Amino acid sequence: MFRSLRAWRKAAKDCLSKREIERDGEGVPVVHMTVLDDSDFLSPLSYHRAEVLSSEVSSFLEKRVNAMPPQKRVAVHIHSDCIDEQEQVRYRAAVATTFRDAYDELALESRRSVISAVVMLLFGVLLLGVMWALSAGNRNEILIEVVDIFAWVFVWEAVDTFFLTRTVQLQQQK
């Protein structure tokens, strides 16, 4: 069983390593995108003087970028016969705005996760203290067990939020 698992893992690794990723002169992975019709490139909604990508274009770029190795930078090359120089400037700014907003949103979620984890951990420790006080006073055993269960649920949720959920959020930010 372990031999077949090792063989399967090696085959999967070989398959991934054979897929070559194009890089520019600085070694930054390159995402190519061909635009045949740019009428829906930008979202009909925008901030004050800050245009954003349409959801379809944004989704396409996110999927392509997620297929790249997790690095801080990715170069996006957009090819088109229908985009003039003035539109290039607008589209470049829209790409930057869209992904800067997504990055900022994930950073805010990560901060909220840390705060949530700390609050849950403190509440769990407080409940463990209550459980200890109840057990020292020889109170109702059932109540002590219920408080114990609640305390450990909060402690586990804090650990899960901080180490697992936050790790995923940090990877998405990259």
Side-chain angles (χ1 to χ4, degrees):
M1 177 174 136
F2 290 114
R3 288 182 192 168
S4 63
L5 182 61
R6 285 184 187 143
W8 181 81
R9 213 171 130 210
K10 184 181 182 309
K13 187 176 179 181
D14 290 344
C15 181
L16 288 175
S17 66
K18 287 180 183 175
R19 191 185 85 198
E20 293 185 22
I21 296 173
E22 182 180 346
R23 297 180 182 274
D24 65 6
E26 298 174 5
V28 176
V30 177
V31 171
H32 289 280
M33 178 179 178
T34 302
V35 178
L36 301 175
D37 178 18
D38 69 334
S39 61
D40 290 329
F41 196 82
L42 298 176
S43 173
L45 307 171
S46 66
Y47 305 117
H48 182 72
R49 296 188 181 131
E51 296 174 304
V52 293
L53 298 176
S54 70
S55 58
E56 186 177 0
V57 173
S58 176
S59 176
F60 173 83
L61 287 175
E62 283 178 24
K63 286 180 183 176
R64 294 299 308 141
V65 168
N66 287 338
M68 298 289 164
Q71 293 180 343
K72 292 189 182 226
R73 292 179 38 199
V74 174
V76 177
H77 293 187
I78 300 174
H79 309 281
S80 179
D81 293 333
C82 62
I83 298 176
D84 60 30
E85 289 183 24
Q86 185 180 10
E87 288 175 324
Q88 285 180 11
V89 173
R90 287 177 58 208
Y91 293 170
R92 183 175 287 120
V95 168
T97 300
T98 300
F99 289 103
R100 185 176 39 249
D101 289 350
Y103 177 85
D104 292 344
E105 181 182 344
L106 285 166
L108 183 62
E109 280 183 37
S110 182
R111 275 183 256 146
R112 286 180 182 156
S113 293
V114 168
I115 291 169
S116 175
V118 168
V119 168
M120 285 188 287
L121 180 64
L122 291 175
F123 192 65
V125 169
L126 177 72
L127 284 174
L128 286 171
V130 167
M131 184 202 71
W132 178 77
L134 287 173
S135 64
N138 292 326
R139 302 284 188 229
N140 187 350
E141 293 295 323
I142 295 174
L143 180 63
I144 293 170
E145 285 302 316
V146 169
V147 172
D148 185 39
I149 291 169
F150 275 113
W152 286 113
V153 166
F154 276 102
V155 170
W156 171 248
E157 279 301 315
V159 169
D160 178 54
T161 300
F162 188 78
F163 290 106
L164 302 177
T165 305
R166 195 172 137 268
T167 302
V168 170
Q169 290 168 342
L170 291 175
Q171 286 174 347
Q172 289 174 340
Q173 270 184 300
K174 285 184 181 182

